[in-house]
Amino acid sequence: MQIAMGCDHAGVEIKKEIVQLLQNEGHVVIDCGTDTSESVDYPDIAEKVAAQVMDKQIKGIIICGTGIGISIAANKVSGIRAALCNDVYTASLARQHNDANIVAVGARVTGPGLIQAIIQTFLETKFEGGRHQRRVDKIMALEKQGKTDDGI
């Protein structure tokens, strides 16, 4: 499976661990940065990951200090349903009920073992469809509200 992944400076160390884990499992990781502890702007990383997710129709992983800012930024990209998950249960439901295509985690608020479990759960869990599809369709319809034909 191809997976797009990116982090800001707060998530560099855990990203390295997750990339290694995923590669060991046979996944191809598209690394969208960053690789340094120097300050970077998380919206730039969110945009890169979201673009890969939409272009390739794959799942994504994004990491910042809390996961909040990077998930907000990713959700501004049309077609993205990024879910900030702080436990395995929400990671599972993000996929089962919301068909989330990006998982966001916070490197400064969630331990590395739990982050690994959240990501594993997110990647392994399937969307249930059914009554949930109607709701996802309504979420996606919200993106179109307020836009004119010229995209403004």
Side-chain angles (χ1 to χ4, degrees):
M1 167 187 317
Q2 278 193 326
I3 303 161
M5 186 170 185
C7 67
D8 73 357
H9 49 280
V12 169
E13 292 307 313
I14 189 65
K15 184 186 84 166
K16 290 177 188 175
E17 292 177 30
I18 299 298
V19 167
Q20 188 64 53
L21 176 75
L22 294 173
Q23 288 174 338
N24 288 345
E25 293 177 352
H27 300 291
V28 175
V29 178
I30 301 168
D31 191 340
C32 298
T34 189
D35 295 319
T36 176
S37 60
E38 291 182 33
S39 183
V40 297
D41 295 333
Y42 58 79
D44 298 335
I45 303 299
E47 182 180 22
K48 289 176 186 176
V49 172
Q52 290 293 319
V53 167
M54 293 309 300
D55 183 52
K56 295 179 171 53
Q57 292 299 296
I58 59 176
K59 291 184 182 117
I61 301 165
I62 51 178
I63 306 167
C64 71
T66 63
I68 297 168
I70 203 163
S71 64
I72 291 170
N75 278 315
K76 298 299 181 184
V77 176
S78 183
I80 293 300
R81 290 176 306 283
L84 172 57
C85 298
N86 294 312
D87 55 62
V88 171
Y89 182 68
T90 55
S92 178
L93 289 182
R95 289 288 307 130
Q96 289 175 347
H97 292 190
N98 308 115
D99 198 17
N101 49 15
I102 295 180
V103 63
V105 292
R108 293 181 178 153
V109 297
T110 308
L114 181 53
I115 288 175
Q116 290 178 9
I118 289 167
I119 290 170
Q120 289 291 93
T121 299
F122 182 83
L123 295 175
E124 294 170 1
T125 303
K126 303 249 186 272
F127 176 51
E128 289 181 353
R131 71 183 193 274
H132 303 294
Q133 184 62 58
R134 180 180 73 249
R135 296 166 184 157
V136 170
D137 292 343
K138 287 182 177 186
I139 291 170
M140 301 314 294
L142 290 173
E143 288 182 349
K144 296 180 175 112
Q145 290 184 2
K147 293 184 180 177
T148 62
D149 290 338
D150 61 359
I152 298 175

